[in-house]
Amino acid sequence: DVKVTQSSRYLVKRTGEKVFLECVQDMDHENMFWYRQDPGLGLRLIYFSYDVKMKEKGDIPEGYSVSREKKERFSLILESASTNQTSMYLCASSFEGGTYEQYFGPGTRLTVT
Amino acid sequence: AQSVTQPDIHITVSEGASLELRCNYSYGATPYLFWYVQSPGQGLQLLLKYFSGDTLVQGIKGFEAEFKRSQSSFNLRKPSVHWSDAAEYFCAVAPFSGGYNKLIFGAGTRLAVHP
């Protein structure tokens, strides 16, 4: 089975802190994604990566950056956390040129106080 | 604008009753279509997907969905709901375009099941 893991299930950070959320997949997928999930808004794409060191902005990239130094690992970085970044963050991965099916991690619920 | 609409935010059904969750999309060409389920505190799990061919697709946990091109709809159904089906359900589309298989999600429908 495809496994996507995220470094933390719950995280509490203070305003202004630098926050790292990490995601690892074990199926050699080319594509990896970071989403933000908020009630009533569904999932919104923050960034995605289609190869090592390659990235592209999604729909809501402001306030976020990403890093992909190895194929299996995709990190989301909040340079200076703000209270409006309190949310559930979901990581996903998929094969390039496959069936477009994305596999999701369990999510990280981030609270910024 | 391209979008995915799930008209029902919350649905409550009794255990054993049938279920239909609605999904409509607005894209120029038929996209790839998906239904995902999210149990409380969990990530998303794929229930089923449609790419082409038979417009009635079967998924896991006894779910099925029907693609209707004329209505731009991809509704999810289950003939008899179990208490364990209580969860949030997301419809998603992968628009037909060259690229990196981005998914566009609806806002979700939260299902409650009464015993």
Side-chain angles (χ1 to χ4, degrees):
Chain A
D1 280 352
V2 175
K3 191 158 187 179
V4 180
T5 57
Q6 295 183 229
S7 51
S8 305
R9 293 300 301 274
Y10 301 93
L11 210 52
V12 180
K13 295 292 182 181
R14 294 194 180 274
T15 301
E17 278 193 84
K18 190 169 186 176
V19 181
F20 292 87
L21 302 182
E22 296 200 330
C23 174
V24 177
Q25 50 94 3
D26 67 356
M27 279 300 291
D28 203 35
H29 286 171
E30 293 85 356
N31 302 316
M32 296 188 74
F33 307 82
W34 275 106
Y35 293 92
R36 172 176 172 158
Q37 182 181 12
D38 299 289
L41 297 178
L43 278 72
R44 294 178 292 167
L45 182 65
I46 305 172
Y47 268 98
F48 71 99
S49 169
Y50 46 93
D51 202 351
V52 174
K53 297 189 185 295
M54 306 302 288
K55 62 187 180 185
E56 193 165 316
K57 292 180 180 179
D59 300 318
I60 52 166
E62 297 79 17
Y64 304 95
S65 62
V66 291
S67 173
R68 193 168 179 199
E69 297 296 318
K70 293 185 177 181
K71 190 174 186 179
E72 67 271 18
R73 189 179 298 269
F74 192 36
S75 301
L76 179 69
I77 304 156
L78 288 65
E79 296 290 342
S80 178
S82 64
T83 55
N84 63 11
Q85 292 178 309
T86 291
S87 188
M88 171 71 93
Y89 291 88
L90 291 165
C91 176
S93 69
S94 71
F95 281 116
E96 172 60 26
T99 58
Y100 297 87
E101 177 177 339
Q102 292 185 16
Y103 297 85
F104 283 82
T108 295
R109 185 164 294 282
L110 172 67
T111 302
V112 183
T113 62
Chain B
Q2 298 178 329
S3 65
V4 180
T5 302
Q6 294 180 245
D8 305 304
I9 299 174
H10 295 279
I11 284 184
T12 301
V13 300
S14 298
E15 191 169 16
S18 63
L19 173 70
E20 183 170 30
L21 303 182
R22 296 181 290 163
C23 175
N24 293 94
Y25 62 91
S26 61
Y27 290 93
T30 300
Y32 293 176
L33 300 159
F34 304 81
W35 275 99
Y36 282 86
V37 61
Q38 185 181 34
S39 298
Q42 304 296 316
L44 275 67
Q45 180 183 20
L46 182 70
L47 282 175
L48 46 77
K49 56 194 175 188
Y50 173 79
F51 301 131
S52 64
D54 192 347
T55 57
L56 185 65
V57 294
Q58 303 297 319
I60 62 171
K61 303 177 188 272
F63 285 91
E64 66 178 26
E66 185 172 13
F67 168 60
K68 293 186 177 180
R69 185 187 307 274
S70 61
Q71 299 176 18
S72 297
S73 69
F74 188 54
N75 293 348
L76 183 71
R77 301 194 294 245
K78 187 169 185 178
S80 177
V81 170
H82 187 263
W83 63 266
S84 61
D85 293 324
E88 190 156 22
Y89 293 80
F90 293 94
C91 179
V93 305
F96 179 72
S97 63
Y100 309 105
N101 27 25
K102 287 187 281 187
L103 295 182
I104 311 299
F105 286 86
T109 297
R110 186 170 295 279
L111 174 67
V113 180
H114 280 178

